[in-house]
Each structure stands twice: as structure tokens, then as C-alpha cells.
Amino acid sequence: RGKDNIVLGRIDWINQQQNAQKTAKYVVNLHDNYKPSYDWEMFSHVGYKYVVTTFDAQEYKGSSYLVSSGIRKYLNKDWDIGIQGLYAASPSVNTVSKGFGASVGYNVFKNAWLSVGYQKLNSYDKNYSFDDSYVNGFFIKFRIKFDEETFHLNKNENATN
């Protein structure tokens, strides 16, 4: 089965205060997974953050954004390989982060994969991650697929009256 598309979004408003410093962050994240065919999967992540910090009656504002994407090839029913890239920037402070990675996954049981890989990042902002999946170096990741079939929500879809 192919042609599946799943989009997840998240918006966070974070207020922090430490001594005389107040910080407000507005963070928007959007993730997309698309399977154009049974053996290919593409994924992307777009994030935007706007920050206002007040310190000693001075207000500082800045924004940053992140774009990452990758592709996964299912070699057979048990194995997959994947690559991904990342670009993030904070124009207000003139910084850029770039990254890339590769992984190999094994299907440990139905709809569950164990992946190992390596990712090289020169820096990263944790506000963009749902699950701290952007790491620098070697990683192990457990992926689980949850959808309407996992919870048998489509069992009456083809029933006739």
C-alpha cells in the first residue's frame, strides 16, 4: 500500500522568568510523512520560533527557522535505509546550522522498527524537536507506526447494510 500522507503540527507558547530576565517564545512545528509507494517514504519538518527577551528594561527580539527532510527506502519487509538533511538559521543573530545523517532500520515486529545511524550537526535548537531526535553523533531510535488500522478503527469500513 502506498500514497499515505500524515501531517502533524504543534504550537507552543513558552514564558520563562529567571531573576530579572523574562523570555517569551512562540514556536511552531509542522511534520509531514508521505509514502508515494510501498517501498519509499519521504519526511519533512518545518519550524519557526519568535523570541522576545526583556533584561534590565531592554527588549530583544529575534526569530529563527528550521527546515529538514529525508527519504527512506524499504529494501524488503525487514530492512530499510534512510538519509536526511537539516538547515536552520537565526537571521537576527546571523547564525546558520546544517546537518546530515544516515540510518539503517530493522523491523522487529509488525509496525515497529529499530534504527541505528549517525548524524552530524554543527548546532541545534531543542525547541524544534517533538522528541529530541536531532542528535549529533551515533543514535538508536525506536519507530512505531500508529494509525487507524493499529486500533482497528476501519473494521466496519467495508460493511454493507
Side-chain angles (χ1 to χ4, degrees), residues 56 59 66 72 79 89 116 134 160-161:
D56 285 339
E59 190 173 82
L66 171 136
R72 185 173 291 119
W79 292 96
V116 295
Y134 295 107
T160 58
N161 294 331

Side-chain angles (χ1 to χ4, degrees), residues 87 110 139:
Y87 181 87
K110 185 177 179 179
F139 64 87

Side-chain angles (χ1 to χ4, degrees), residues 6-76:
I6 297 173
V7 178
L8 296 173
R10 178 174 163 174
I11 298 173
D12 291 308
W13 181 258
I14 304 163
N15 287 305
Q16 299 169 321
Q17 183 165 355
Q18 186 175 22
N19 300 325
Q21 179 178 324
K22 291 182 184 179
T23 302
K25 300 177 190 176
Y26 177 67
V27 184
V28 178
N29 285 291
L30 185 64
H31 291 261
D32 181 45
N33 278 58
Y34 176 63
K35 282 192 78 166
S37 66
Y38 180 77
D39 55 345
W40 286 97
E41 180 180 1
M42 295 181 284
F43 46 93
S44 62
H45 173 195
V46 176
Y48 175 78
K49 179 173 73 169
Y50 181 73
V51 179
V52 178
T53 300
T54 305
F55 184 74
D56 285 339
Q58 290 279 22
E59 190 173 82
Y60 304 93
K61 298 177 182 179
S63 62
S64 62
Y65 62 90
L66 171 136
V67 177
S68 72
S69 64
I71 191 164
R72 185 173 291 119
K73 167 73 171 151
Y74 293 90
L75 302 173
N76 55 42

